[in-house]
Amino acid sequence: MLSDLLYRLRALFRRNAVDGELDEELRAHFEREAEKLMAQGLSREEAMRQARLAFGGFEHIKDECRQAWGVQWLQTSSQDIRYGLRALRKSPGFTIVAVLTLALGIGATTAIFSVANPVMFRSLPFHDPNRIMTVLETKPAQNLDWLWVTEISFVEWQRRSSVFESLAAYNGCGFRLPDEGEPRFLSGNCVSSTFFPMLGVKPMLGRFWTAEEDVPGNDHVAVLSYRAWKQEFGGDASVINKEDRAFVG
Amino acid sequence: MSNDHIDLPQGTLDLLILKTVALGPQHGWAISERIQQISSSVLQVQQGSLYPALHRLERRGWIKARWGASENNRRAKFYELTRTGRKQLESEADAWRKLALAVGQVLDMA
């Protein structure tokens, strides 16, 4: 409720005024009570004493009222925090060690996570990423694994294995662009024709190559990344389909 | 001071304050006196619970406070009933009457 919030804000930020008002209010009550008792015939001292008794503890009532304002927890927490800070200031050695430990822990965790997140946790931006795997060879006799696969093995697997829906091969390759005057080198990958269909991507312009073009001698086909297209050919769309080039976005 | 006074059960102080204030703006002492008078001194308001109750009711928006001059020209904090306070008073008074009736019926059974 709005009035509740406003009340609490006032108790928080106009604390001195609110406290002063409380004091004045209680004092007025006390005096009025004493007056009443005096009117009943008691002496001034006796009236004050009885009024004080009837009232109970001043400070206790004030505390209860402050509780009713609903911001005490904030006051006590901030007091506790300030006390904690003072204690820390008194033992600087401990504080420095604690701060460094925290900084190291947070920094290391953040660094590791920012590396691990794209590598391990974020899924590949391809179709059905959980089913995409890397298949490698092992040589148990020599306790080796994570071995790159030869082309022969790949072709054999494609032909004979029924475990996988589709197999694609990829390899790091360098490319030389010959017809722009001075030769330029681009880094890229050599992939089998099954590569792009497996990932479920579609070319922005042109097409990917087919299985027939997967054979040596027939493989004058290339797919340019969007960035390479922009950089090397200035985004010229006529470059596509010239000498069987296809582009992907 | 009367000896046969009854301690107010929990929660009824709010109801009595709201009712007292419904009759017109009052300051804390006057509210306490009024309740005592009307109930023929059976109900003695503990000063220790009066002011926390008043502040709590003010926070919930059922009464609102204003500083003004009391009967002897002293500065006092007057409380008056708000619109939501009036609704709250009605519903609480209603609940109280139902409760009192029901308890009475149980106590009166032979």
Side-chain angles (χ1 to χ4, degrees):
Chain A
M1 261 208 307
L2 187 61
S3 64
D4 187 302
L5 182 65
L6 290 174
Y7 190 90
R8 281 195 221 224
L9 287 176
R10 185 162 184 264
L12 193 58
F13 292 110
R14 296 263 173 276
R15 181 50 181 254
N16 290 333
V18 179
D19 240 7
E21 280 182 12
L22 174 63
D23 191 66
E24 196 177 348
E25 187 178 13
L26 295 180
R27 202 172 298 280
H29 182 121
F30 173 77
E31 282 170 8
R32 192 73 185 81
E33 182 71 14
E35 270 171 35
K36 178 185 99 172
L37 292 171
M38 282 197 285
Q40 287 174 358
L42 285 115
S43 71
R44 183 174 174 80
E45 299 80 39
E46 187 59 24
M48 300 278 266
R49 192 184 75 86
Q50 288 214 5
R52 203 169 293 127
L53 275 177
F55 221 78
F58 246 99
E59 279 313 311
H60 177 71
I61 297 181
K62 279 198 193 170
D63 264 343
E64 295 252 333
C65 286
R66 288 186 193 116
Q67 293 272 56
W69 296 344
V71 291
Q72 265 318 87
W73 60 273
L74 202 57
Q75 302 284 102
T76 41
S77 330
S78 71
Q79 275 173 356
D80 286 343
I81 290 173
R82 258 180 272 152
Y83 174 73
L85 286 175
R86 272 200 305 261
L88 284 179
R89 236 197 305 258
K90 285 216 195 102
S91 48
F94 172 78
T95 310
I96 289 175
V97 170
V99 169
L100 281 179
T101 309
L102 276 174
L104 205 62
I106 295 173
T109 311
T110 311
I112 292 174
F113 181 77
S114 45
V115 168
N117 190 30
V119 171
M120 295 205 275
F121 301 124
R122 203 142 346 117
S123 58
L124 303 167
F126 302 127
H127 164 71
D128 224 350
N130 295 325
R131 296 174 62 209
I132 298 179
M133 297 170 210
T134 307
V135 185
L136 296 159
E137 279 190 323
T138 66
K139 216 169 193 178
Q142 293 178 10
N143 215 7
L144 293 168
D145 58 11
W146 217 277
L147 296 170
W148 296 115
V149 178
T150 62
E151 289 172 22
I152 299 174
S153 304
F154 170 67
V155 170
E156 278 300 304
W157 289 353
Q158 254 195 331
R159 220 153 38 86
R160 297 216 250 143
S161 167
S162 55
V163 174
F164 295 99
E165 196 178 295
S166 166
L167 279 172
Y170 79 95
N171 200 0
C173 289
F175 298 97
R176 184 160 51 96
L177 289 178
D179 41 328
E180 312 296 303
E182 49 183 90
R184 271 203 298 269
F185 288 93
L186 296 175
S187 70
N189 296 90
C190 296
V191 299
S192 64
S193 62
T194 44
F195 184 76
F196 290 110
M198 180 197 293
L199 297 177
V201 294
K202 295 236 170 345
M204 207 169 83
L205 287 170
R207 60 168 183 84
F208 297 126
W209 56 83
T210 60
E212 295 89 43
E213 286 156 329
D214 229 358
V215 181
N218 221 359
D219 50 356
H220 303 290
V221 206
V223 173
L224 270 183
S225 74
Y226 187 75
R227 199 161 21 110
W229 181 41
K230 283 283 178 195
Q231 269 182 337
E232 300 298 326
F233 298 97
D236 186 6
S238 67
V239 182
I240 311 164
N241 284 333
K242 196 167 68 163
E243 292 180 33
D244 294 316
R245 288 201 187 108
F247 292 78
V248 69
Chain B
M1 218 183 292
S2 154
N3 274 349
D4 50 9
H5 69 265
I6 302 168
D7 285 326
L8 270 177
Q10 262 289 46
T12 45
L13 178 56
D14 287 4
L15 176 57
L16 296 176
I17 291 176
L18 288 177
K19 178 64 183 181
T20 311
V21 160
L23 308 170
Q26 298 274 31
H27 54 79
W29 183 85
I31 294 173
S32 165
E33 280 292 297
R34 195 83 207 265
I35 293 175
Q36 207 168 309
Q37 277 174 15
I38 301 285
S39 69
S40 314
S41 293
V42 173
L43 297 176
Q44 301 268 25
V45 180
Q46 301 281 49
Q47 320 294 29
S49 33
L50 173 67
Y51 284 97
L54 283 170
H55 284 234
R56 206 174 39 241
L57 291 172
E58 188 190 350
R59 195 187 85 196
R60 306 187 68 168
W62 293 336
I63 58 179
K64 62 174 184 269
R66 207 178 16 96
W67 282 91
S70 68
E71 53 275 354
N72 47 7
N73 250 337
R74 220 92 55 84
R75 230 170 85 89
K77 196 171 177 190
F78 285 80
Y79 294 95
E80 58 179 318
L81 199 62
T82 62
R83 206 163 31 87
T84 45
R86 194 167 294 274
K87 277 190 257 177
Q88 181 68 17
L89 168 61
E90 280 165 18
S91 76
E92 268 194 49
D94 202 40
W96 173 265
R97 287 194 192 95
K98 287 203 180 97
L99 175 68
L101 186 60
V103 172
Q105 283 171 344
V106 173
L107 291 176
D108 284 340
M109 65 183 182

